[in-house]
C-alpha cells in the first residue's frame, strides 16, 4: 500500500506540526480562497482534524471586487465540502478604507475571519509569501519587527505553510485532482506583491543561483526569535519599573531601550509608530539636549520633564 504523494504528505505534516503547538484548540477554521495554497491546506486540515477529533470548517471570504466573485466563493465552498469539511461558509465583506485596495481587502478579510472564528484559523501563507513579506519590510526600512515577517502561530491565526514552497501546494492539488482558482489579481502588475513575485524574486533567484526564498524565510525566523527575546526583556523591565524610568533606561543598549519605549507607547494608545518616531523618543533618553516633545500619530506627544517621560494627552487624563 503506497502512501500519499510527497507534496500532499508535506502539507499534512506542516498542519499536524503546527496544531501540535496549539493544544486545546476546540476547532479548526480554514481561510479558503480556492487557490492552490488554501485548497491544499483545506485537505490537510480535514485529514488532520479527523485524526485529532476536531471539527473543520472552511471560511470563504467574498470581497466583491470582481464580477464573478460570488460564483468563485460558492464553488470554493463546494470543493471544501467535497474534501470533507464539517461545514463551509461564505462571508461577504465590503472593501473600504484607506491604504489602497490590497490593504483594504486584507483588513476586511481579517475582520470577517476574526468575527466568525471559533477556533484556530489556518491561513495559506507559504514560504514564498514569507519571502515577499521580508522584501517589503526591507523596502519600508521599518526595522527588524517588519523584516521578521509573519508568525506561524499568532492566535487565532495559524500559518502552517511558512516553510512550504508554493510549488508544493500546486503539486499537492495536482496529486489530489483539484483544480485551483487562479485569482486575476495575482497576475496584475499594479500590485507590488505581484511584481515581487513575478519579477523581483525570479531575478534574485537567477542572480544568486537559487535558494533566495528559503534564505529570506530563514532570516525572518532568526529575526523573529531575536525580536521575541527583546519583547520579553522589555516586558520584564516595564513590569519592574511601571514606566520608562530614565536612570534605569539610560545604560541599556539602544535596541532594548527602543523596544521598551515602543511597548510603553503602544500600551498608552500610540499607533502607526515608525522607526523615526521611536528614535526621536529614544533621543529624549539617550541623547538629551533639552529638546522639545516628540509628536506621534493621533495627536500624542512625548515629553521629558524633571527627569521622566510623560505622554500627553493620555497622562493628563489620568491614564
Amino acid at each position: 500500500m503506497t502512501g500519499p504523494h510527497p507534496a500532499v504528505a508535506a502539507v499534512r505534516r506542516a498542519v499536524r506540526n503546527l496544531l501540535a503547538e496549539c493544544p486545546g484548540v476546540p476547532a479548526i477554521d480554514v481561510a479558503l480562497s480556492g487557490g492552490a495554497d488554501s485548497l491544499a491546506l483545506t485537505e490537510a486540515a480535514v485529514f488532520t482534524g479527523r485524526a485529532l477529533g476536531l471539527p473543520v470548517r472552511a471560511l470563504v471570504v467574498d470581497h466583491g471586487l470582481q464580477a464573478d466573485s460570488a460564483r468563485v466563493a460558492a464553488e470554493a465552498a463546494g470543493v471544501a465540502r467535497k474534501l470533507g469539511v464539517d461545514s463551509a461558509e461564505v462571508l461577504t465583506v465590503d472593501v473600504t478604507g484607506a491604504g489602497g485596495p490590497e490593504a483594504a481587502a486584507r483588513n476586511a478579510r481579517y475582520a470577517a475571519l476574526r468575527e466568525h472564528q471559533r477556533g484556530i484559523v489556518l491561513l495559506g501563507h507559504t514560504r514564498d509569501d514569507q519571502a515577499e513579506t521580508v522584501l517589503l519590510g526591507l523596502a519600508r526600512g521599518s526595522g527588524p519587527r517588519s523584516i521578521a515577517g509573519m508568525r506561524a502561530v499568532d492566535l487565532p491565526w495559524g500559518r502552517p505553510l511558512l516553510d512550504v514552497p508554493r510549488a508544493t501546494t500546486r503539486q499537492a492539488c495536482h496529486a489530489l485532482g483539484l483544480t485551483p482558482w487562479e485569482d486575476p489579481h495575482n497576475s496584475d502588475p499594479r500590485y507590488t506583491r505581484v511584481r515581487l513575485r513575478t519579477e523581483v524574486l525570479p531575478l534574485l533567484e537567477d542572480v544568486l543561483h537559487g535558494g533566495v526564498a528559503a534564505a529570506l524565510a530563514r532570516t525572518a525566523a532568526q529575526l523573529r526569535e531575536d525580536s521575541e527575546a527583546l519583547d520579553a526583556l522589555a516586558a520584564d523591565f516595564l513590569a519592574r519599573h511601571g514606566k520608562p524610568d530614565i536612570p534605569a533606561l539610560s545604560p541599556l543598549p539602544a535596541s532594548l531601550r527602543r523596544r521598551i519605549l515602543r511597548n510603553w507607547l503602544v500600551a498608552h494608545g500610540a499607533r502607526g509608530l515608525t522607526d523615526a518616531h521611536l528614535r526621536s523618543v529614544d533621543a529624549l533618553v539617550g541623547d538629551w539636549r533639552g529638546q522639545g516633545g516628540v509628536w506621534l500619530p493621533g495627536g500624542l506627544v512625548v515629553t521629558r520633564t524633571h527627569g521622566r517621560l510623560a505622554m500627553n494627552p493620555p497622562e493628563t487624563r489620568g491614564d
Side-chain angles (χ1 to χ4, degrees):
M1 180 177 180
T2 61
H5 186 279
V8 175
V11 178
R12 291 176 177 177
R13 184 167 54 251
V15 171
R16 183 178 68 246
N17 289 344
L18 181 133
L19 291 175
E21 299 179 23
C22 307
V25 296
I28 302 171
D29 293 322
V30 185
L32 174 63
S33 68
D37 303 334
S38 60
L39 275 180
L41 178 61
T42 300
E43 191 281 336
V46 170
F47 181 87
T48 308
R50 285 174 179 167
L52 298 176
L54 294 175
V56 180
R57 176 178 59 163
L59 297 176
V60 186
V61 178
D62 177 9
H63 300 88
L65 296 177
Q66 300 166 24
D68 60 347
S69 65
R71 175 188 62 81
V72 170
E75 290 180 355
V79 173
R81 295 185 187 102
K82 291 178 181 177
L83 287 172
V85 298
D86 295 286
S87 63
E89 299 178 24
V90 175
L91 311 177
T92 303
V93 299
D94 292 322
V95 178
T96 58
E102 282 182 287
R106 182 174 60 252
N107 291 339
R109 179 168 61 253
Y110 274 86
L113 293 171
R114 185 181 288 277
E115 180 182 352
H116 290 85
Q117 60 90 16
R118 60 183 183 183
I120 190 170
V121 182
L122 300 185
L123 306 172
H125 297 121
T126 65
R127 188 173 72 185
D128 301 78
D129 295 304
Q130 184 74 300
E132 294 161 15
T133 300
V134 174
L135 286 176
L136 286 170
L138 281 169
R140 287 193 295 265
S142 48
R145 185 178 294 274
S146 179
I147 303 170
M150 297 174 281
R151 295 174 183 266
V153 177
D154 187 18
L155 293 176
W157 318 117
R159 299 179 177 89
L161 306 184
L162 289 182
D163 289 326
V164 177
R166 187 175 292 135
T168 299
T169 65
R170 290 193 171 277
Q171 293 165 5
C173 286
H174 180 74
L176 293 164
L178 301 174
T179 302
W181 172 61
E182 301 294 343
D183 186 348
H185 286 168
N186 288 339
S187 58
D188 189 338
R190 291 177 299 174
Y191 297 106
T192 303
R193 272 193 181 268
V194 171
R195 297 197 67 187
L196 282 174
R197 183 175 307 145
T198 60
E199 299 176 38
V200 177
L201 273 169
L203 178 60
L204 288 173
E205 294 281 354
D206 179 49
V207 172
L208 299 175
H209 309 293
V212 172
L216 288 170
R218 287 196 303 273
T219 298
Q222 292 162 4
L223 283 169
R224 195 159 50 252
E225 291 171 354
D226 291 347
S227 184
E228 289 170 356
L230 283 173
D231 278 336
L233 292 171
D236 178 69
F237 179 96
L238 290 172
R240 287 185 289 109
H241 295 274
K243 293 183 179 181
D245 180 70
I246 289 176
L249 278 172
S250 296
L252 297 179
S255 59
L256 177 55
R257 273 205 316 267
R258 285 194 291 272
R259 189 60 57 97
I260 293 168
L261 291 169
R262 182 189 183 279
N263 288 4
W264 175 67
L265 293 169
V266 169
H268 284 75
R271 298 292 182 269
L273 296 172
T274 66
D275 182 65
H277 291 136
L278 292 176
R279 289 181 182 274
S280 295
V281 174
D282 183 48
L284 297 176
V285 177
D287 189 22
W288 174 243
R289 305 182 309 278
Q291 62 265 41
V294 176
W295 287 89
L296 303 176
L300 302 175
V301 60
V302 179
T303 58
R304 172 169 170 158
T305 307
H306 305 302
R308 62 184 296 269
L309 295 183
M311 189 193 310
N312 300 308
E315 296 222 350
T316 61
R317 293 175 182 173
D319 290 355

